[in-house]
Amino acid sequence: MQSAVPRKHPIPPQEIKICERLLDARLHKGMSRVAVAKRAEMDSSQLRRYEDGLVPLRYDDAKRLSLALEVGLPYLAGVVARMRDHLSIDDSSFAEHVKPRSLFSEIYTQYLSDIVKASPVVPPKVFLLPVGTKIEAPTREAAEKMAESVRRDGYSVKLKGKVVEFTVDYSGWFVGDADEAGSKEPEAPSPQRKPRPKK
């Protein structure tokens, strides 16, 4: 991740690492730069500058990109390994002290670090589901959201009404979708009965 034209004052290695994690998060999400920029309500050229390590990430942009990519700010800061830890952080206690062009790294060190340390992380609920498992969501919209989340992880599912059916064995989590949507517990497929031998 290097600039074609060297900067007069190269950004510090710490800032480059943040930019690299931002790029990793987008690639993991499987989204184009234009799609992420649109969701984050920012210009794609600015996102490219961040991802290429040309400029340090600003806090206001970090917040928007965090929401767009569903990745926690602590991951971008490099203090946790899981992207989805601390997805939602309340910055109302220090928001008035943040200047428009404040760097994400500075705000994290000065304010967010203590908030994250004081906030316990709830481990994601892991599902181990065999092929044929069906999950019924309360609404069609909730089912679509769940199916989209699973497909983003590279798994295949069928969607019929409010029911999501797994067409392959699945191991992962739904980013909390199953719990938040009030979905019913996964319904395991009925075991196939072997025919009785004829006498």
Side-chain angles (χ1 to χ4, degrees):
M1 184 186 296
Q2 295 181 348
S3 168
V5 179
R7 286 170 53 94
K8 186 175 182 180
H9 302 290
I11 68 176
Q14 174 194 3
E15 302 295 342
I16 293 178
K17 288 292 184 183
I18 291 174
C19 293
E20 289 175 346
R21 285 188 286 271
L22 176 63
L23 174 60
D24 288 344
R26 180 176 67 79
L27 296 178
H28 178 80
K29 191 77 170 176
M31 295 178 64
S32 70
R33 185 179 293 136
V34 172
V36 172
K38 183 177 180 180
R39 182 179 289 187
E41 299 181 349
M42 62 185 297
D43 194 279
S44 61
S45 62
Q46 180 64 17
L47 177 55
R48 181 190 62 78
R49 285 160 61 82
Y50 286 143
E51 292 183 345
D52 288 347
L54 301 180
V55 292
L57 181 62
R58 295 204 305 258
Y59 177 66
D60 56 347
D61 286 339
K63 283 180 60 178
R64 289 197 290 268
L65 289 166
S66 170
L67 292 173
L69 292 167
E70 295 179 328
V71 59
L73 292 175
Y75 172 79
L76 294 180
V79 299
V80 298
R82 292 192 310 212
M83 292 186 181
R84 294 180 176 122
D85 282 357
H86 299 287
L87 276 177
S88 177
I89 298 180
D90 182 7
D91 64 358
S92 58
S93 61
F94 62 85
E96 62 182 29
H97 303 295
V98 178
K99 297 177 181 178
R101 300 183 66 82
S102 295
L103 295 184
F104 165 64
S105 58
E106 295 174 350
I107 298 301
Y108 191 92
T109 301
Q110 191 170 358
Y111 301 106
L112 287 172
S113 178
D114 290 337
I115 294 177
V116 170
K117 288 177 182 177
S119 305
V121 175
V122 179
K125 184 176 180 181
V126 176
F127 291 84
L128 302 174
L129 307 177
V131 60
T133 298
K134 297 179 181 179
I135 299 179
E136 182 180 351
T139 65
R140 169 77 182 190
E141 183 180 0
E144 290 175 347
K145 182 180 178 183
M146 186 187 304
E148 178 187 357
S149 176
V150 173
R151 286 167 178 157
R152 277 201 306 265
D153 289 338
Y155 293 91
S156 174
V157 293
K158 290 181 181 178
L159 186 60
K160 183 178 290 186
K162 298 186 295 183
V163 176
V164 178
E165 180 180 354
F166 290 78
T167 56
V168 294
D169 290 335
Y170 175 82
S171 174
W173 55 85
F174 303 126
V175 200
D177 291 348
D179 291 334
E180 292 170 10
S183 304
K184 296 181 180 180
E185 284 295 315
E187 177 186 326
S190 302
Q192 296 293 325
R193 291 184 179 180
K194 295 182 180 179
R196 293 182 180 179
K198 294 181 180 180
K199 293 183 179 180

